[in-house]
Amino acid sequence: MASNGLCPSIKNILLLDSEGKRVAVRYYSDDWPTNNSKLAFEKFVFGKTAKANARAEADITLLENNIIIYKFVQDLHFFVTGGDDENELILASVLQGFFDAVALLLRNNVDKREALENLDLILLCLDEIVDGGLILETNGPLIAEKVTSHSLDADAPLSEQTLTQAWATAREHLTRTLLK
């Protein structure tokens, strides 16, 4: 998925644990067509970056013609991947927005256990940041606000709800009409 210089695109966003295992991932590119190739890429990226000191601020590397921006917090490793022609600052803003939103949603208790307990919020967070590789939002507090409003607002229009919420709303409306 090339950006053609017009609109920056993301190839994937990875959230791995301290052993390189998946916590939450989203791929937006066909560069890794199979699950095995995705797992191999995650292992490769983790292996190349594990010894880096990216705890204070994000770091950058170029691996296999991909720019990878990454940051480590406690036992979680955050990665954003773009093509080698992408703007590093834009990729870094996506990473920072993702991290900020996760930190807000997990009440600054950013670790693997909390992330797994709130995996639904993290996956919604990824959906709010990028859609089909195109960047939608990079403001962490705004992303967190959208995610929490999705999980709280059942009367929102169907276009603003997650699929599970939409099904629950439809089931509720159907139940009301059948009971009348």
Side-chain angles (χ1 to χ4, degrees), residues 96-167:
Q96 191 61 47
F98 178 43
F99 172 75
D100 290 346
V102 168
L104 284 169
L105 292 169
L106 300 182
R107 294 172 203 79
N108 287 324
N109 190 14
V110 182
D111 64 11
K112 181 181 176 182
R113 187 182 61 73
E114 279 294 316
L116 291 173
E117 286 178 3
N118 294 286
L119 188 59
D120 57 336
L121 297 177
I122 292 174
L123 293 173
L124 280 172
C125 194
L126 290 172
D127 293 340
E128 290 293 336
I129 297 169
V130 177
D131 185 24
L134 299 177
I135 301 166
L136 301 176
E137 185 62 63
T138 61
N139 182 334
L142 185 58
I143 295 164
E145 181 182 324
K146 287 181 179 181
V147 167
T148 55
S149 71
H150 277 308
S151 59
L152 297 176
D153 191 7
D155 292 330
L158 287 179
S159 62
E160 294 292 321
Q161 294 183 8
T162 64
L163 187 59
T164 305
Q165 291 169 327
W167 279 113

Side-chain angles (χ1 to χ4, degrees), residues 42-55:
E42 293 163 20
K43 183 177 180 181
F44 174 71
V45 168
F46 180 81
K48 293 291 186 181
T49 60
K51 293 191 181 356
N53 186 14
R55 295 207 178 271

